[in-house]
Amino acid sequence: MSCIFISHARLVLPDQVLNSSSLLIEDGIIRSIAGTCPPTATEVDLRGQTLIPGIVDLHCDALEKEAEPRPNVFFPPGLAVSQIDRRNAHAGVTTAFHAISFAGKELGVRSIDMALQLVAALRQASDTSLIHNRIHCRYEVTDAQSLPALEELLATGSIDLLSLMDHTPGQGQFKDPEAYGNYLAKSYGKSAAEIDQILDLKLAQQSSSTERIERLALCAKKYAVPLASHDDDSSVRIQIMKSLGVRISEFPINLETAQEACDQGLKTVFGAPNVLRGKSQSGSVRAHDALAAGVASCLCSDYHPGALLPAVLRLEAEGMPFADAVRLITCNPAQAAGLTDRGSLTVGYRADLVAFVSDSGVPQVTQVWRDGIQAYLARWCHAA
């Protein structure tokens, strides 16, 4: 039996912070808090450090960027998975939902073929990865080709979270064709002719999207896979998504929509980069405003795993109780995804833990445990 006693740490519990306290891990599970050290335990002194639950990230696009760091420049999927696994551990993320886009043949990495390769690489790496890597498939509703592949993945238990996204100009985060064209040109290096072709295809296939969405939502329900919506822009859209079984609203673009999502019992997700930058990259609602209005349930990394912990420290510096801020990246997203065994320093929970020090608001993760096993350790020699 493995037994680790963590001592002298600043522990962040779900509703309070304990200074210079302790936590006992046995066989990967939190067994006691603020107890005494058993004679058989290995003691880890975290004097001067903070200990929080491992971060649960519901939405991160960074794997796609590892696979295609520049437009039409592709790296092996297995290498991309290995690199992002280590980036997440370094950032304190212990459960990552990798957002993988199924969008027909629309964009380089956001295609059926590449998406399937990334899913396969994640599954293949499950026994050797540092953290819990989970699969969040994003379905572009104007894609008429991906349904069979997604239904097969659902049936084989290969999807942990499914979201519906619609990047058709005229709604959501792209109010007009010019805004979407600028996004494609900037992010994917598409030419004007390629952009016109993509927009024409999206508009042509939008009319039949409802049937595909309903079919996929039924399949997700059959296999008990959580369903999320993306860039909701109105109360009506929230109500439609709720009727399909959606329980998570990612990046609602205005306060009214976020409020409706909360009223309907959905969890809302905003980007940690939005907190750090003080604004949305697409002109949607500020995460600060959503938090102030009480309509933000979770923060996700969106595209930058390293943004999560600094965002929480920023919120603490601005006056939010630290335990409340930490819940935005730990137990709240865990509960939204139906994970009842992690995300909290609570007796009986998985010992997914993150220790860090903070220098002027910049966190430095020192140690990460996954299921009570040390997955990451940082050492510095410059202070000697």
Side-chain angles (χ1 to χ4, degrees):
M1 179 178 72
S2 66
C3 188
I4 300 172
F5 186 75
I6 295 176
S7 63
H8 303 110
R10 179 194 185 210
L11 298 186
V12 183
L13 305 186
D15 56 357
Q16 63 178 319
V17 177
L18 301 180
N19 291 315
S20 192
S21 192
S22 62
L23 180 148
L24 177 67
I25 306 167
E26 287 181 346
D27 291 337
I29 301 296
I30 299 173
R31 295 299 184 193
S32 70
I33 292 172
T36 57
C37 181
T40 57
T42 299
E43 184 170 356
V44 178
D45 191 333
L46 290 186
R47 200 178 307 264
Q49 300 188 40
T50 299
L51 187 75
I52 66 171
I55 296 171
V56 179
D57 185 10
L58 292 177
H59 183 123
C60 184
D61 301 338
L63 175 58
E64 292 183 339
K65 295 300 182 186
E66 292 285 352
E68 189 186 18
R70 293 181 178 179
N72 297 314
V73 175
F74 298 98
F75 277 26
L79 177 60
V81 168
S82 174
Q83 293 299 308
I84 193 61
D85 182 57
R86 280 147 184 77
R87 278 184 64 192
N88 273 312
H90 172 72
V93 178
T94 55
T95 299
F97 285 79
H98 298 281
I100 300 173
S101 302
F102 285 76
K105 298 181 179 178
E106 184 176 288
L107 300 168
V109 74
R110 294 191 165 183
S111 66
I112 301 173
D113 292 343
M114 181 56 78
L116 288 173
Q117 289 183 48
L118 292 175
V119 169
L122 279 166
R123 296 186 67 185
Q124 188 172 9
S126 62
D127 292 336
T128 58
S129 58
L130 296 178
I131 69 164
H132 300 285
N133 288 299
R134 302 178 77 84
I135 297 170
H136 171 175
C137 287
R138 306 173 61 186
Y139 174 58
E140 180 67 39
V141 303
T142 53
D143 169 22
Q145 302 172 331
S146 292
L147 252 61
L150 286 167
E151 288 172 331
E152 175 68 18
L153 291 175
L154 285 166
T156 55
S158 300
I159 298 179
D160 301 296
L161 176 63
L162 177 67
S163 62
L164 306 171
M165 60 180 181
D166 185 353
H167 288 123
T168 308
Q171 51 76 58
Q173 68 171 299
F174 299 112
K175 292 299 184 186
D176 55 63
E178 182 180 1
Y180 189 56
N182 290 338
Y183 162 73
L184 292 176
K186 182 179 180 180
S187 300
Y188 297 98
K190 294 295 182 184
S191 67
E194 290 173 320
I195 291 170
D196 288 342
Q197 186 178 18
I198 291 172
L199 293 179
D200 289 345
L201 182 61
K202 277 186 169 299
L203 293 171
Q205 294 183 335
Q206 189 181 34
S207 61
S208 56
S209 64
T210 300
E211 180 181 346
R212 291 191 293 273
I213 294 171
E214 292 175 347
R215 175 175 153 183
L216 199 55
L218 282 174
C219 192
K221 181 179 180 181
K222 177 180 179 180
Y223 294 107
V225 173
L227 192 61
S229 55
H230 192 82
D231 293 339
D232 298 314
D233 60 359
S234 68
S235 296
V236 171
R237 182 176 170 88
I238 288 291
Q239 291 161 15
I240 292 172
M241 292 295 110
K242 175 71 181 292
S243 71
L244 291 169
V246 164
R247 67 190 203 196
I248 301 170
S249 176
E250 298 184 302
F251 316 115
I253 69 167
N254 55 55
L255 283 179
E256 294 75 17
T257 303
Q259 183 64 63
E260 180 67 19
C262 292
D263 292 345
Q264 293 289 334
L266 276 62
K267 301 297 184 184
T268 58
V269 180
F270 292 86
N274 186 326
V275 172
L276 288 180
R277 299 175 67 246
K279 62 181 180 181
S280 161
Q281 64 175 351
S282 58
S284 299
V285 64
R286 296 171 68 246
H288 277 93
D289 296 336
L291 288 163
V295 295
S297 311
C298 313
L299 294 178
C300 71
S301 70
D302 196 358
Y303 53 87
H304 194 331
L308 284 159
L309 197 49
V312 164
L313 295 184
R314 173 73 63 84
L315 293 173
E316 181 192 25
E318 294 171 351
M320 179 179 285
F322 194 47
D324 293 352
V326 170
R327 286 203 304 273
L328 294 170
I329 61 172
T330 55
C331 63
N332 288 6
Q335 291 171 0
L339 300 174
T340 58
D341 60 350
R342 70 195 72 187
S344 178
L345 299 190
T346 298
V347 173
Y349 274 50
R350 284 177 183 263
D352 291 348
L353 308 170
V354 178
F356 68 93
V357 295
S358 176
D359 182 9
S360 302
V362 178
Q364 299 288 351
V365 172
T366 60
Q367 298 187 63
V368 172
W369 291 266
R370 168 190 160 170
D371 297 326
I373 298 173
Q374 189 180 64
Y376 174 83
L377 171 65
R379 296 182 184 275
W380 290 275
C381 60
H382 56 270

